[in-house]
Amino acid sequence: MGIEINPIAVIVFVSVLGACIGSFLNVCIYRMPLNESIVFPGSHCRACSTLLPWYDNLPLLSYLIRRGRCGSCGVQFSARYFFVELLTTVMAVAVVWQFGLTLVAVGYFAFVAALIVITFIDFDHQIIPDAISLPGVLVGLLFSLLSPLPTLTIWTSLIGAVVGAGFLLAVALSYQAITGREGMGGGDVKLLAMIGAFLGWRSIPFTIFFASCVGSLIGVGTMIRRQADSQLALPFGPFLSFGALAYLFFGERIIAWYLGLL
């Protein structure tokens, strides 16, 4: 007789795990660009340096209970801490909902977690840490060896990494040769290689198209709001990450629908 798993219990477990990992991602987002250890010291208030006790370090709950303030000095914490924990929780549930309690879900949740860290670091500092993207390419290739998905094999993963990096590198070099300005950093190239490694080569055109459309809309809106010129610099990493997530959850269905129209 098989063991029946209560779906509500699964959602609760995955939500709690996702919130805890989201708390760790906040540490990575803040400390990695500063070259600080993500392990020591423990979570503490940046204003008064007081280590947060366990009851002030509960993901999601502590922020709500304390109304986003330090229990020692009363300084207001950024709402982003709560948002990242909530986002990671939602993504954890979404990945398990899509792939079940499987090894594939574990691999893709690690991928999603990396994209979350990359997105917020790129927003803040306009950099994408090599410490995430380069190991991410290798992990994605290894993950493809274990994947049962027909769209992800070692060959589609390897081609995805090469095509992803090669396409953006060609675009970046062409733009620099024509304009004399750097339009895309090497971090974006490595990020798209990681995306290709985890999702396969079919994800590359989808991700680039999706990221370009969303990035253009937000870029134009930002220029109008700020009355800036066309040289306004926006990080492209978050849009690539958004495109990769769109492909992960909906990409193959959208591609099948589009091919059906043809």
Side-chain angles (χ1 to χ4, degrees):
M1 181 181 296
I3 299 176
E4 294 186 4
I5 300 178
N6 189 325
I8 302 299
V10 171
I11 291 175
V12 171
F13 171 76
V14 171
S15 297
V16 172
L17 181 61
C20 292
I21 293 176
S23 180
F24 174 69
L25 298 188
N26 271 319
V27 174
C28 296
I29 290 167
Y30 189 91
R31 298 188 186 184
M32 288 185 71
L34 303 177
N35 293 319
E36 295 181 357
S37 170
I38 60 175
V39 179
F40 300 106
S43 297
H44 59 281
C45 174
R46 288 282 173 174
C48 66
S49 300
T50 301
L51 289 175
L52 299 181
W54 68 267
Y55 50 81
D56 278 348
N57 207 23
L58 299 174
L60 297 176
L61 294 178
S62 293
Y63 191 94
L64 294 175
I65 294 171
R66 289 289 188 183
R67 298 182 180 180
R69 295 187 178 276
C70 173
S72 178
C73 68
V75 70
Q76 182 75 48
F77 294 141
S78 171
R80 179 190 288 183
Y81 293 113
F82 181 85
F83 177 74
V84 169
E85 291 172 356
L86 180 61
L87 175 62
T88 310
T89 301
V90 172
M91 287 292 100
V93 173
V95 168
V96 171
W97 187 275
Q98 181 95 338
F99 300 102
L101 287 174
T102 62
L103 184 62
V104 172
V106 173
Y108 277 136
F109 178 65
F111 172 64
V112 170
L115 292 181
I116 291 174
V117 175
I118 285 171
T119 293
F120 286 100
I121 289 179
D122 203 13
F123 267 134
D124 287 343
H125 303 277
Q126 284 73 55
I127 59 172
I128 297 176
D130 288 347
I132 298 177
S133 58
L134 291 181
V137 174
L138 178 59
V139 173
L141 293 173
L142 294 175
F143 175 65
S144 71
L145 295 173
L146 305 175
S147 170
L149 302 177
T151 55
L152 185 66
T153 66
I154 182 59
W155 294 114
T156 60
S157 176
L158 182 60
I159 294 172
V162 172
V163 170
F167 179 83
L168 277 195
L169 181 60
V171 171
L173 293 177
S174 298
Y175 182 87
Q176 188 170 11
I178 294 171
T179 66
R181 302 192 307 269
E182 181 178 322
M184 188 172 297
D188 297 319
V189 174
K190 298 164 193 171
L191 171 58
L192 195 56
M194 184 184 83
I195 291 171
F198 266 99
L199 301 179
W201 70 265
R202 286 165 62 93
S203 69
I204 298 302
F206 181 98
T207 299
I208 293 174
F209 178 77
F210 197 95
S212 299
C213 291
V214 175
S216 297
L217 290 173
I218 293 179
V220 170
T222 302
M223 284 190 291
I224 293 174
R225 189 177 69 253
R226 297 183 182 178
Q227 297 182 342
D229 60 24
S230 59
Q231 295 185 26
L232 174 68
L234 286 177
F236 195 48
F239 302 118
L240 288 174
S241 298
F242 192 35
L245 290 178
Y247 179 85
L248 176 64
F249 292 109
F250 310 110
E252 286 301 322
R253 278 171 282 182
I254 293 176
I255 291 174
W257 169 81
Y258 179 75
L259 292 178
L261 293 179
L262 299 177

